[in-house]
Amino acid sequence: MKVYLKIYNYKQMRISSYIIFVAFCFLCLGKVQGQNATANIRFSIPEVALIDIEPGVDNTVHFSVSSTTESGEAPEVTEISSKSLWINYTSAQLDNSDARSVYAEITSGGLPNGLELEVEASVYKGIGKGNMLGTKEGKIVLSQSPQRIISNIKNCFTGDGEGNGHELTYTLKIADYSEIESTDDTYFVVMYTLSDN
Amino acid sequence: MSKLLLIIIGLIAAPFVYGQNFNVTVSGYVDFGDGLTLVGEAGSDFSTVLESQSDLGLTVAYSSGSVLAYLFNPDRPWKLTVGMTGSSDWDSDVLQLEMKRNVSSGSLIYGWFARPKYIAGFENYETLTAGINSEIYGRHGIQDIQFNFRIKGASVVLGAKDFETDVVFTVYDN
């Protein structure tokens, strides 16, 4: 009988120890482990190529070629409405894209015979930002073919409105006096394009 | 015999009394939509803050998921840490990711015997970093905790590309 009781107590002790061990394990697991969940965040910046001229309305430049009062003198070219025009642009490109350029061309109407219209963009000014704001290309003579006036435009924006971007300077010149004729008012449109090359 | 019964009950109850790990799960998505497709005027940049239309729901639950666990051991406190993983697709020098918890969101799981819902942290937008951020504290299991995200610093200057990062939520028994 005594032997039986000893065996019982021994088993009881083993079971109790087991319970304590299991409870301890659960307790430890509950305090130590951290478990993760992940939320994926993504957004895209699209390609952007926007250009405009400021001011956006009433941006006509008006020249006059008048005869002189003195015989033997050259006709006078005067800019009647002297406006400050600015090119603004915003550009975002894919990696490894070629830098963009601004091209100018006459798209409707035409210059009277014997005259040339030059345009030049200033160096960049304004409140914009970017790793490559455009570089001016110098003075060009406008024609019906596109010609580059600003180059090396990458990911940037010039700032919006007058005083931001590149100021445009127009110069009307008499190229060939022998072709000058008297004409009525002549209108033509100069278009600027932001292009991928 | 009665001792043996007590031992068996103890074994069954032990997981519910002491062993309640938590797990956290995330469902839904974070969508910034077409917020960046519009630049109002040539010469302008994107708007400075981009807000998400988030349908992201987060649930903190007892690991066992058993009704008995919530019944025997309600109101167990937990802590949720929030971190951002570093990514080559995320320009952390320029882009700031901010997160806010929708304070009215979230409901108790099997909350019949629990105290009213308690959850604290991220009531206002906070910037997330790869390091230590603020934490969220709560108790009991809570499901469908919603968050809004916003991004500052998105600009055409970064170029046209995709940006991606992960926000990692880690739950601890508190």
Side-chain angles (χ1 to χ4, degrees), chain B residues 60 70 75 78 105-119 139-144:
Chain B
V60 176
Y70 292 97
D75 300 321
W78 46 262
S105 68
S107 57
L108 292 172
I109 303 169
Y110 301 127
W112 311 300
F113 299 104
R115 286 184 283 168
K117 182 183 78 177
Y118 169 76
I119 182 167
R139 65 180 178 228
H140 203 75
I142 301 179
Q143 61 190 351
D144 201 23

Side-chain angles (χ1 to χ4, degrees), chain B residues 26 70 85 100 108:
Chain B
V26 168
Y70 292 97
T85 58
K100 183 179 81 165
L108 292 172

Side-chain angles (χ1 to χ4, degrees), chain A residues 7 14 16 19 43 64 75 79 162 197:
Chain A
I7 291 169
R14 281 184 61 192
S16 298
I19 293 167
F43 76 100
S64 170
E79 189 174 347
E162 295 174 57
N197 51 48

Side-chain angles (χ1 to χ4, degrees), chain A residues 68-123:
Chain A
T68 60
T69 53
E70 202 57 51
S71 58
E73 288 188 346
E76 288 181 356
V77 178
T78 51
E79 189 174 347
I80 293 173
S81 61
S82 179
K83 287 216 172 74
S84 179
L85 302 184
W86 292 78
I87 288 184
N88 295 170
Y89 49 81
T90 298
S91 171
Q93 295 184 284
L94 297 170
D95 284 346
N96 304 319
S97 299
D98 291 333
R100 288 172 170 154
S101 298
V102 175
Y103 290 84
E105 63 187 303
I106 294 173
T107 53
S108 74
L111 280 165
N113 291 335
L115 296 177
E116 275 183 0
L117 182 63
E118 295 175 337
V119 65
E120 182 176 21
S122 71
V123 295

